[in-house]
Amino acid sequence: MTQSLHKRVTIVGGGMIKFGELYEKSLEDMIEEAYLNALSRVDKGIDPKDIQAAWYGTVYPEMGNSGLGLSHATGLFDIPVTRIENACATGSDTFRNACMAVAAGVYDVALVVGAEKMHDDPGGLIQRADLKRLWMGRGVTMPAFFGLHGTAYMHKYGVTREQVALVSVKNHHNGSLYPYAHLRFECSVEDVVKAAYVSYPLGLYDCCPVTDGAAVLIITNPKIANRYTDTPVYVLGSGLATDSDLRGGDLTSFPATQFAAKQAFEMAGLKSSEIDVAEIHDCFSITELVSYEDLGFAKPGHGPELLEEGIVSLDGKMPVNPSGGLLAKGHPLGATGVAQLVELYEQLRGEAGAVQVKNPEIALQHNIGIGRYATGSVGCVHILGR
Amino acid sequence: MSHIAGIGVYVPRYRIEASEINSAWARPGGRGRKAVAEFDEDALTMGIQAAHHALTHAGVAGNKLDSISFASVSSGYAEYSLAAQSTQVLGALVSANVADFGLSTRAVTSALQAGLDGVHSKRISHALVIASDKLIAQPGSSFEPNYAAGAGALILAQRGFAKIEGTAAATSGFVGLSRREGAFHGLIDERFVMQHGFLEAAQAAVMRLQDSVKISEWNHAVLQAPDERWASRLLKNLKIAPEKLRSGTAQIGYAGCATFVIHLALAFESAKAGEQILAVSYGPGGCDAVAIKVIERPKFSPSIKDILASGELIKYPHYLRISKLLRGEP
Amino acid sequence: MTTPHQWRISESNAKLIGYRCPKCSWVSFPEKKRACKRCGSAPVEMMGFVMKPFGKIVSFVVQHRLPEGFETPLPLAIIEFEEGARAAGHIIDCKLEELHVGFEVEAEYRIMYEENGLTMYSYKFKPRRSH
Ligand SMILES: [Zn+2]
């Protein structure tokens, strides 16, 4: 008999660092800072000795970056530390794995760390586009993978670049208000559509920046959550799936997201209409737009209406990416999913400051990963509640 | 005797005008244009296209080929088999003979001769001869406006639309050109080479064909040689009317081994049944001459004339970039 | 010299061989699979066949930012072959304005990249002209 994660894990603390081009900070420096922030923000305090196990999500480098990195950064030795990598969905899957261990009753208190040092790699991600995989996507970079979905989506539904640009405009506005965001400026639809192409149909402002960052969550068995806080946040649902464009379909959606969302909503016993606030994967403007539909917030082809009608704006009915999303906050791969969850933890507790959404009760987090199999994606969805 | 059962031509998409090249070097004028290969094309890829066209033209499947020969002076390798590489791509059987011919543009007629011998002796039924070159001349050199890229392929068989009436060779020992691997293509002293390296050998080879075809009986002449002016000199010396020359040099330039097959295809396209084609191939050291009798004019779709006349004109910087010359390396 | 990886992919680089799943008829390309990626059936015996070099564009992008070894702008597409197999492929011999979803293309043998002193060849896709 399988058991769901529903309400069997609580978040009792979260912290992150200001994302950016952090040339002065090492990977370990960033993790340490986020860890200390998380510890200091536990309402009733926490002794590091309470932490029984830790999960560490990071993408670079692919090999040999063991759990030891987390231990060196935090001083947490002598306990199990597991490193997780699942491309850009690494942070979310790291959280998910830690949750499963806590829900299984193996540990009562666990640490989740997501971190990425992207600016130590002068070539950047583009250099890592797997050049030898002829038929599996030679030359398919991240912007290309999402651009392929953009072309197909815009073609099928007659959606314009101006409509897609509304995602960037919204998220940069939110990011300008969010203290942890990497990019803090506003931009117009004209700025977005007139910017140089990175991978047609995506221009510079349709793309997230290259960002260093780290984020940390402390999770517990709900039975002991009150040792740390009187207002924990519950994990209501969780889902993860993979897909490939080579299996079929018209590329106007991300089936992995659809399956992950189905799992998470079923586990939570909720419908998409019950979500109050969401952090949705917006590595590129088009990704957020298509994801509205994959997550059930809009019918296929109707995603742009959520933007045009202001539903997903900061003051809308269901704000999406109040943190500025990946487009403004930045996308340090392993840190991204954890940072989305940190943000929603704060939103649900009413601690989000300038980007606080009005009294949210249910929040959704969504994260997509690609990696070297650049012809499909990993989709991960979590639903949190007070 | 052996026959030609199929012929295929591949000319890359781009053209550059000689005057465009000359103007980059502050020189006036310039006649004609040449074909330019894309950055991701080389002797092998162009040869494969021509071979596909030849197979289609002959109505022969790749797995029916008994032998595949590849002639090129621009493979870029000192050791590597373009013929072997072609076998798998064309769907030939693993048992097919393969041979690579190079080191001289005469390689095209050497490959042809080998194929003809195999078919003539009935050792093999279908031979594929691929001739393909991507010649890169030094920027600014006098060869640059003419040295081009292209490919041609022939299917030799027991039956076909044209019959090989005879072949002849003349090798003088005059070298004329040597080029180290990796160096730019281009001769050093054209007029000297023309007189003593080319004309003497070419005339001797053609005279040897007189047993099969008299000088006065040629209806069409094609020549594979680096300079179009060599052709007029040869025809003049042999007293063959200049209008019998079939050449696409003005449209696509000179593409080494490939030029032999491309010009031959042009001759076929304009020939009538029963006409005789003189085909001469030059390479350092001498010439080969081949007598070909047209049994039936083959059809081409698109026409060879259209293939040569088509193409997209590019400017000199574009040419340098796709020829990988813009970085200043050969 | 040929590397083990180059050798493993040499046949699929040279020929367009698809492998049809007997359970769901999906065509695997270029790998011969014993576990179907489409329906998940395992084990399955997929039969190989040489595909026609024709297909259409499911979607495309034009790459402007790529590392050394690529010429940009580079049109790149998900191609669906007539037999149903899919592949990510480079588009050649094409004006960028011509590109559209559903565009018919045909495969052409081209240079893909240089590695270990060897030129690696396989197929790119150009506007379909033959039938
Ligand atoms: Zn199947």
Side-chain angles (χ1 to χ4, degrees):
Chain A
M1 177 69 188
T2 57
Q3 290 182 311
S4 113
L5 278 178
H6 183 68
K7 287 206 166 180
R8 297 175 68 224
V9 180
T10 36
I11 303 173
V12 300
M16 56 185 282
I17 65 169
K18 184 186 182 323
F19 285 4
E21 291 178 358
L22 308 178
Y23 293 109
E24 70 284 8
K25 289 176 185 167
S26 70
L27 181 63
E28 286 77 10
D29 292 340
M30 297 193 299
I31 295 171
E32 184 185 59
E33 188 181 335
Y35 171 65
L36 295 176
N37 284 348
L39 290 182
S40 71
R41 297 179 65 180
V42 174
D43 295 343
K44 301 180 185 177
I46 186 169
D47 182 343
K49 297 266 180 301
D50 291 356
I51 297 166
Q52 296 165 313
W55 274 260
Y56 174 33
T58 190
V59 176
Y60 286 15
E62 287 88 348
M63 198 173 70
N65 197 3
S66 68
L68 259 177
L70 185 151
S71 300
H72 277 292
T74 59
L76 293 171
F77 287 94
D78 311 332
I79 60 166
V81 182
T82 302
R83 185 209 164 194
I84 301 278
E85 203 252 279
N86 213 345
C88 304
T90 291
S92 302
D93 204 16
T94 305
F95 175 72
R96 191 180 144 74
N97 276 270
C99 286
M100 287 190 282
V102 169
V106 181
Y107 305 108
D108 279 337
V109 181
L111 186 77
V112 178
V113 173
E116 211 67 62
K117 187 72 204 164
M118 299 185 73
H119 281 283
D120 278 2
D121 182 1
L125 267 185
I126 277 179
Q127 291 293 347
R128 293 169 173 244
D130 200 322
L131 304 184
K132 294 182 202 167
R133 299 183 64 82
L134 286 192
W135 298 112
M136 294 290 286
R138 174 178 157 76
V140 182
T141 53
M142 305 290 161
F145 173 80
F146 289 96
L148 284 165
H149 287 75
T151 302
Y153 179 87
M154 291 159 71
H155 171 80
K156 181 170 178 182
Y157 299 116
V159 170
T160 64
R161 277 200 73 209
E162 284 75 9
Q163 287 175 294
V164 178
L166 292 173
V167 173
S168 301
V169 173
K170 169 181 72 72
N171 291 355
H172 277 290
H173 169 73
N174 296 354
S176 72
L177 301 170
Y178 188 68
Y180 295 102
H182 177 182
L183 302 179
R184 302 193 62 189
F185 59 79
E186 303 228 29
C187 63
S188 66
V189 168
E190 197 184 356
D191 292 335
V192 181
V193 299
K194 287 202 171 159
Y197 282 119
V198 173
S199 184
Y200 169 91
L202 302 176
L204 191 60
Y205 287 80
D206 290 293
C207 306
C208 66
V210 177
T211 303
D212 297 324
V216 169
L217 286 166
I218 298 161
I219 62 171
T220 70
N221 185 316
K223 288 180 190 132
I224 64 147
N226 62 4
R227 284 184 208 167
Y228 303 106
T229 178
D230 294 328
T231 53
V233 162
Y234 288 84
V235 176
L236 304 181
S238 172
L240 188 141
T242 63
D243 66 37
S244 168
D245 295 337
L246 303 185
R247 298 173 77 224
D250 61 9
L251 272 64
T252 59
S253 65
F254 300 103
T257 296
Q258 296 173 347
F259 286 106
K262 186 168 182 287
Q263 294 165 24
F265 278 116
E266 274 177 17
M267 195 180 281
L270 292 167
K271 298 192 294 285
S272 53
S273 58
E274 294 173 273
I275 301 296
D276 298 315
V277 59
E279 285 280 314
I280 292 180
H281 195 85
D282 60 331
C283 51
F284 301 93
S285 51
I286 187 69
T287 320
E288 179 173 321
L289 190 52
V290 171
S291 299
Y292 293 157
E293 300 170 17
D294 292 332
L295 293 164
F297 299 130
K299 289 203 168 57
H302 292 270
E305 293 164 22
L306 299 189
L307 292 154
E308 287 157 352
E309 293 166 16
I311 292 167
V312 288
S313 301
L314 201 48
D315 56 357
K317 188 165 154 286
M318 187 199 65
V320 171
N321 289 327
S323 66
L326 284 51
L327 284 170
K329 183 175 59 187
H331 181 22
L333 318 180
T336 291
V338 182
Q340 288 176 315
L341 290 159
V342 168
E343 163 63 9
L344 293 175
Y345 172 71
E346 293 183 350
Q347 285 285 351
L348 290 169
R349 284 160 47 95
E351 300 172 335
V355 294
Q356 180 62 50
V357 170
K358 199 178 163 200
N359 198 29
E361 290 187 9
I362 311 286
L364 178 140
Q365 177 254 350
H366 163 245
N367 196 186
I368 289 182
I370 309 298
R372 63 195 291 260
Y373 295 87
T375 47
S377 67
V378 176
C380 191
V381 172
H382 286 101
I383 299 172
L384 307 178
R386 287 198 299 216
Chain B
M1 247 331 210
S2 306
H3 290 71
I4 296 173
I7 183 165
V9 159
Y10 176 79
V11 181
R13 173 189 179 192
Y14 293 122
R15 305 282 184 277
I16 187 166
E17 289 182 323
S19 58
E20 165 70 13
I21 294 173
N22 284 343
S23 76
W25 292 94
R27 290 189 303 242
R31 273 197 307 257
R33 47 193 211 162
K34 68 167 184 173
V36 183
E38 260 285 14
F39 72 96
D40 61 353
E41 292 185 292
D42 65 5
L44 179 63
T45 66
M46 294 189 297
I48 293 291
Q49 302 313 321
H52 279 305
H53 294 323
L55 286 166
T56 307
H57 194 237
V60 170
N63 61 12
K64 291 284 185 284
L65 294 172
D66 304 299
S67 116
I68 295 178
S69 306
F70 205 118
S72 179
V73 293
S74 56
S75 81
Y77 291 97
E79 283 189 42
Y80 186 70
S81 175
L82 297 178
Q85 184 87 7
S86 307
T87 303
Q88 200 174 28
V89 181
L90 296 171
L93 302 180
V94 293
S95 55
N97 293 165
V98 291
D100 289 84
F101 294 80
L103 294 172
S104 159
T105 47
R106 255 174 111 187
V108 60
T109 28
S110 309
L112 176 64
Q113 185 71 59
L116 293 173
D117 290 348
V119 172
H120 183 62
S121 68
K122 303 207 161 117
R123 187 176 63 80
I124 56 175
S125 305
H126 292 99
L128 168 66
V129 175
I130 304 172
S132 180
D133 267 313
K134 178 177 175 178
L135 304 182
I136 303 287
Q138 181 150 28
S141 70
S142 61
F143 311 103
E144 192 184 24
N146 186 37
Y147 275 34
L154 294 164
I155 305 286
L156 309 176
Q158 306 294 342
R159 274 193 288 272
F161 58 80
K163 186 179 169 200
I164 308 296
E165 298 265 281
T167 61
T171 306
S172 67
F174 184 102
V175 175
L177 167 70
S178 68
R179 179 179 62 84
R180 295 283 172 188
E181 201 52 77
F184 287 114
H185 291 90
L187 292 162
I188 295 152
D189 185 346
E190 298 162 84
R191 288 191 61 78
F192 169 53
V193 174
M194 177 185 71
Q195 284 170 25
H196 298 285
F198 168 68
L199 280 174
E200 288 171 15
Q203 285 162 208
V206 175
M207 295 314 273
R208 287 228 184 92
L209 282 177
Q210 288 221 74
D211 293 346
S212 315
V213 186
K214 299 273 176 299
I215 294 286
S216 59
E217 293 170 346
W218 297 115
N219 304 102
H220 308 273
V222 303
L223 172 66
Q224 176 279 113
D227 192 323
E228 189 78 352
R229 288 167 296 186
W230 295 17
S232 17
R233 280 293 295 272
L234 177 64
L235 296 190
K236 193 176 169 196
N237 288 4
L238 289 171
K239 301 193 168 56
I240 297 173
E243 59 272 16
K244 289 184 177 172
L245 185 71
R246 304 287 164 253
S247 169
T249 306
Q251 286 89 49
I252 61 166
Y254 172 64
C257 295
T259 290
F260 183 84
V261 183
I262 295 171
H263 288 182
L264 189 55
L266 263 181
F268 283 135
E269 192 167 67
S270 54
K272 293 190 197 73
E275 290 190 330
Q276 299 281 2
I277 301 171
L278 168 65
V280 177
S281 171
Y282 163 79
C287 284
D288 296 317
V290 186
I292 303 163
K293 184 175 183 177
V294 179
I295 297 168
E296 185 191 355
R297 182 200 295 170
K299 288 190 176 64
F300 295 99
S301 174
S303 75
I304 304 297
K305 277 200 178 70
D306 284 348
I307 292 172
L308 302 197
S310 67
E312 193 178 316
L313 280 179
I314 56 173
K315 293 290 183 188
Y316 195 61
H318 187 170
Y319 159 75
L320 288 181
R321 183 169 60 80
I322 64 175
S323 304
K324 298 187 178 159
L325 294 166
L326 205 49
R327 285 180 212 277
E329 296 158 11
Chain C
M1 204 186 79
T2 304
T3 64
H5 173 256
Q6 289 172 343
W7 175 68
R8 283 199 300 276
I9 63 173
S10 64
E11 193 184 29
S12 63
N13 283 359
K15 295 188 212 174
L16 298 168
I17 303 174
Y19 299 89
R20 194 180 298 280
C21 172
K23 294 280 166 63
C24 70
S25 332
W26 179 74
V27 178
S28 175
F29 170 79
E31 314 147 287
K32 178 171 185 168
K33 294 286 297 170
R34 295 197 300 143
C36 177
K37 283 202 216 181
R38 176 69 200 167
C39 69
S41 297
V44 286
E45 184 70 35
M46 294 193 178
M47 296 300 291
F49 63 99
V50 177
M51 301 193 297
K52 290 203 271 303
F54 303 125
K56 63 177 171 51
I57 289 180
V58 180
S59 191
F60 68 93
V61 290
V62 182
Q63 285 281 62
H64 290 264
R65 302 290 180 91
L66 280 169
E68 282 277 308
F70 289 93
E71 292 285 328
T72 55
L74 169 67
L76 213 152
I78 300 289
I79 308 292
E80 188 162 284
F81 287 93
E82 283 187 353
E83 291 86 353
R86 282 191 179 193
H90 295 189
I91 307 294
I92 51 169
D93 274 14
C94 178
K95 291 193 165 47
L96 296 181
E97 316 83 79
E98 287 183 85
L99 283 168
H100 60 87
V101 172
F103 195 46
E104 295 208 25
V105 293
E106 68 179 287
E108 183 164 307
Y109 197 66
R110 290 285 178 112
I111 295 170
M112 300 305 288
Y113 55 94
E114 308 280 336
E115 184 186 48
N116 285 354
L118 266 191
T119 303
M120 299 297 291
Y121 301 89
S122 194
Y123 293 88
K124 296 182 180 178
F125 298 86
K126 65 177 183 184
R128 181 167 176 177
R129 293 188 186 107
S130 51
H131 297 278

